[in-house]
Amino acid sequence: LETPQSMESFQGYNELKKYIFDIKEAFFKPSRFNLPFPKGLLLIGPPGTGKTLASKCIASAFNLMLLKVDLSKLFSEYVGSTERNTRTFIASAEAMAPIVIRIDEIEKQMSGFGNKGQLDSGVSNRSFGQILQWMSEKSTPVFMIATSNNVQNLPPELMRKGRLDEIFFIDLPNKEEICAILKYHILSRFKECNIKLFDGIDNYLSGWTGAEIEQLVIQSLRIYEKDENYNLVSIFEAEIQKTTPLSILRKKDIDEIREWAVQNNVRLASENPKVEKEQKEYRRKFSI
């Protein structure tokens, strides 16, 4: 079990937040139309954009416990143990309902599942089938949030509608989100700081992830804490010059994730006119 985090710590990405608050009551209020409980989300995007943080904040928004799950620990060398572990996991999750489940980097955790039984006499395939069946048929309020940095490695049957409610693409933060993230991390650690001194510094943070901005604040404040005679803004500017963001180091990988989001018409976690336009053009291109 993990401690949820306040939604305030998840700056930006208002479309995802709106969706979460729209479905919140469905966990606690009987459906007039006999609708099932919300089943979960798949959050895809570059590393460091806040997918794990989002899952912690969603649990807080729902006012539910958060359970971190490592699917790789279901595997066992003993005959029948893997299937039994899978059943135990499912039973435990349902016993704790209503609850939010977090599965980080699910493409890595499920790499041993669904291998057609080529290596383990079908054990992983059967366990994978158990989990998929449960995701489709579960009638208890267990909300699963899976995150992925490399969605191309995910089995397609995991992503079909009915097992998870929606897939959201969390892109690099836009200019407004960069400002909000920077302000939050500074003021949450240095409440007396005059945040107006940092006006315009966001212009140097285009392409940075939320995790990179947080680390920038941490490292800069460490230096400032040692000697407050330093100019804090100058420290920030110096640390920015020393950092090469992931959007440059792994540009190809990030472009591939964004292209997948475009081609599959994935919902966007925040307004992004450029990606929305590309999605619309792609739909028009392949419409009948």
Side-chain angles (χ1 to χ4, degrees), residues 134-263:
W134 173 64
M135 291 172 65
S136 297
E137 299 177 358
K138 69 177 186 283
S139 57
T140 51
V142 177
F143 193 74
M144 179 183 294
I145 304 175
T147 73
S148 176
N149 300 325
N150 191 352
V151 71
Q152 289 90 344
N153 289 343
L154 282 174
E157 55 267 43
L158 178 71
M159 296 184 285
R160 82 157 172 82
K161 293 286 187 179
R163 292 195 169 116
L164 294 169
D165 298 319
E166 282 293 348
I167 302 174
F168 273 90
F169 174 52
I170 300 184
D171 204 349
L172 299 171
N174 58 36
K175 182 179 176 64
E176 291 74 19
E177 289 166 342
I178 287 173
C179 291
I181 293 169
L182 179 65
K183 179 179 178 180
Y184 171 79
H185 285 299
I186 293 175
L187 293 180
S188 64
R189 294 171 170 85
F190 186 14
K191 293 182 174 60
E192 302 81 14
C193 181
N194 181 3
I195 200 65
K196 292 183 179 180
L197 294 174
F198 294 87
D199 287 350
I201 206 168
D202 53 282
N203 295 323
Y204 302 100
L205 300 177
S206 178
W208 285 49
T209 65
E212 290 167 339
I213 295 171
E214 180 181 14
Q215 191 57 40
L216 167 68
V217 173
I218 292 172
Q219 182 60 25
S220 298
L221 289 179
R222 277 179 180 154
I223 297 172
Y224 185 70
E225 190 174 36
K226 289 171 63 177
D227 188 350
E228 295 188 8
N229 291 320
Y230 285 123
N231 182 291
L232 184 55
V233 177
S234 297
I235 295 174
F236 269 78
E237 292 173 345
E239 290 303 315
I240 290 171
Q241 294 301 317
K242 296 175 185 177
T243 304
T244 303
L246 199 67
S247 59
I248 295 177
L249 292 174
R250 303 294 296 273
K251 183 179 186 302
K252 181 180 178 182
D253 294 337
I254 292 175
D255 287 344
E256 287 178 355
I257 297 173
R258 190 177 290 117
E259 183 66 19
W260 188 92
V262 168
Q263 293 178 359

Side-chain angles (χ1 to χ4, degrees), residues 40-186:
L41 300 175
L42 173 61
L43 305 179
I44 68 168
T49 49
K51 300 183 295 296
T52 298
L53 175 62
S55 66
K56 295 181 179 181
C57 295
I58 289 170
S60 176
F62 290 160
N63 197 27
L64 296 176
M65 294 187 298
L66 178 64
L67 181 67
K68 179 184 177 182
V69 176
D70 185 351
L71 295 176
S72 65
K73 292 185 177 179
L74 300 180
F75 286 99
S76 173
E77 60 185 300
Y78 300 107
V79 175
S81 292
T82 301
E83 296 94 327
R84 185 168 58 251
N85 291 342
T86 303
R87 291 192 297 270
T88 300
F89 152 62
I90 292 172
S92 300
E94 293 192 335
M96 288 187 281
I99 195 169
V100 175
I101 287 180
R102 172 167 76 86
I103 305 178
D104 268 339
E105 299 190 42
I106 192 171
E107 75 278 8
K108 295 183 177 67
Q109 294 198 35
M110 301 199 80
S111 60
F113 289 93
N115 63 13
K116 311 301 182 186
Q118 297 167 345
L119 303 176
D120 57 8
S121 302
V123 171
S124 63
N125 208 29
R126 288 194 295 274
S127 295
F128 182 55
Q130 283 180 275
I131 293 174
L132 291 180
Q133 182 178 6
W134 173 64
M135 291 172 65
S136 297
E137 299 177 358
K138 69 177 186 283
S139 57
T140 51
V142 177
F143 193 74
M144 179 183 294
I145 304 175
T147 73
S148 176
N149 300 325
N150 191 352
V151 71
Q152 289 90 344
N153 289 343
L154 282 174
E157 55 267 43
L158 178 71
M159 296 184 285
R160 82 157 172 82
K161 293 286 187 179
R163 292 195 169 116
L164 294 169
D165 298 319
E166 282 293 348
I167 302 174
F168 273 90
F169 174 52
I170 300 184
D171 204 349
L172 299 171
N174 58 36
K175 182 179 176 64
E176 291 74 19
E177 289 166 342
I178 287 173
C179 291
I181 293 169
L182 179 65
K183 179 179 178 180
Y184 171 79
H185 285 299
I186 293 175

